[in-house]
Amino acid sequence: MKVAFFDRDGTIIEDYPDEKWTRITSPAFLPNSIQILKNIQQSGYEIIIITNQYLINEGFITLGQYEVITEKMINELTKHNIQIFDIFYCPHSRTEGCNCIKPKTGMIKEALVKYPSIKIEQSFIVGDSTVDVELALNMKMKGFGLGVGDAYQEKNIIQLHEIKDLINYI
Ligand SMILES: [Mg+2]
Ligand SMILES: [Zn+2]
């Protein structure tokens, strides 16, 4: 299967400064993100979310808070007939030295073990942070940087100004 690996915060739903996340109880979908997820799904991709949640182990949010927001997000997407195939998250703090925090490759490798039918060369990563782009580079995968700037000129990295532009490349 081919997979669209999506970052969550700042790509599908709104991101906030770390301290503000403490008070967030519901996801706020970014403009066009639901539509693009639908388009991606209709193009035959499974959607897997990979998200750094150092907020958990750094004490900004609890695991429970993370789970509530995730559940609300999935419920809203289900209403739009969008199925999220799986979600991988890294709860570790930035100083823990884990192997899953993006741009490290742990979450993608975990997905590849869990789903051996993933065809990595037909899959891609999209996200709004340099770590998402660097993860694509580390995996030698196609990557889309959402407003990440033009610091990455490698041929497998494409800059998007808006998430809806992704449809032009799939
Ligand atoms: Mg992000
Ligand atoms: Zn981790």
Side-chain angles (χ1 to χ4, degrees):
M1 66 183 183
K2 54 183 186 177
V3 173
F5 289 97
F6 265 75
D7 171 50
R8 194 191 80 173
D9 304 336
T11 302
I12 298 174
I13 62 173
E14 193 166 345
D15 200 1
Y16 306 98
D18 294 346
E19 311 73 41
K20 195 175 176 195
W21 267 111
T22 304
R23 304 189 302 276
I24 301 297
T25 55
S26 292
F29 284 86
L30 290 167
N32 302 313
S33 68
I34 290 177
Q35 184 59 50
I36 199 73
L37 287 170
K38 194 175 283 190
N39 293 340
I40 296 279
Q41 184 170 267
Q42 285 165 350
S43 299
Y45 290 87
E46 298 292 354
I47 296 159
I48 293 180
I49 294 175
I50 47 173
T51 176
N52 282 357
Q53 293 293 327
Y54 62 78
L55 295 163
I56 297 170
N57 277 15
E58 292 189 18
F60 293 100
I61 62 170
T62 64
L63 179 59
Q65 268 175 289
Y66 163 76
E67 286 171 341
V68 165
I69 289 169
T70 298
E71 190 182 348
K72 287 180 180 176
M73 178 184 73
I74 287 173
N75 289 346
E76 184 63 26
L77 293 173
T78 302
K79 284 187 208 161
H80 293 270
N81 294 316
I82 295 162
Q83 190 209 345
I84 300 299
F85 192 78
D86 207 341
I87 301 178
F88 295 85
Y89 70 98
C90 165
H92 307 110
S93 74
R94 287 167 286 189
T95 55
E96 268 178 83
C98 71
N99 289 320
C100 44
I101 193 167
K102 295 182 285 186
K104 292 189 181 172
T105 56
M107 289 191 280
I108 300 256
K109 289 192 171 148
E110 196 183 335
L112 291 171
V113 169
K114 192 170 176 184
Y115 306 111
S117 64
I118 293 176
K119 291 194 165 51
I120 204 77
E121 67 284 355
Q122 294 177 24
S123 302
F124 66 83
I125 296 169
V126 57
D128 71 315
S129 162
T130 55
V131 298
D132 300 302
V133 171
E134 284 167 10
L135 174 59
L137 292 172
N138 288 342
M139 287 299 301
K140 298 184 170 44
M141 288 173 65
K142 180 183 275 194
F144 295 93
L146 180 59
V148 178
D150 57 2
Y152 300 92
Q153 299 291 343
E154 286 84 354
K155 61 177 164 45
N156 280 339
I157 302 298
I158 295 167
Q159 302 301 327
L160 303 176
H161 294 290
E162 297 180 79
I163 193 68
K164 66 181 171 65
D165 298 339
L166 183 56
I167 198 65
N168 300 324
Y169 298 98
I170 58 166

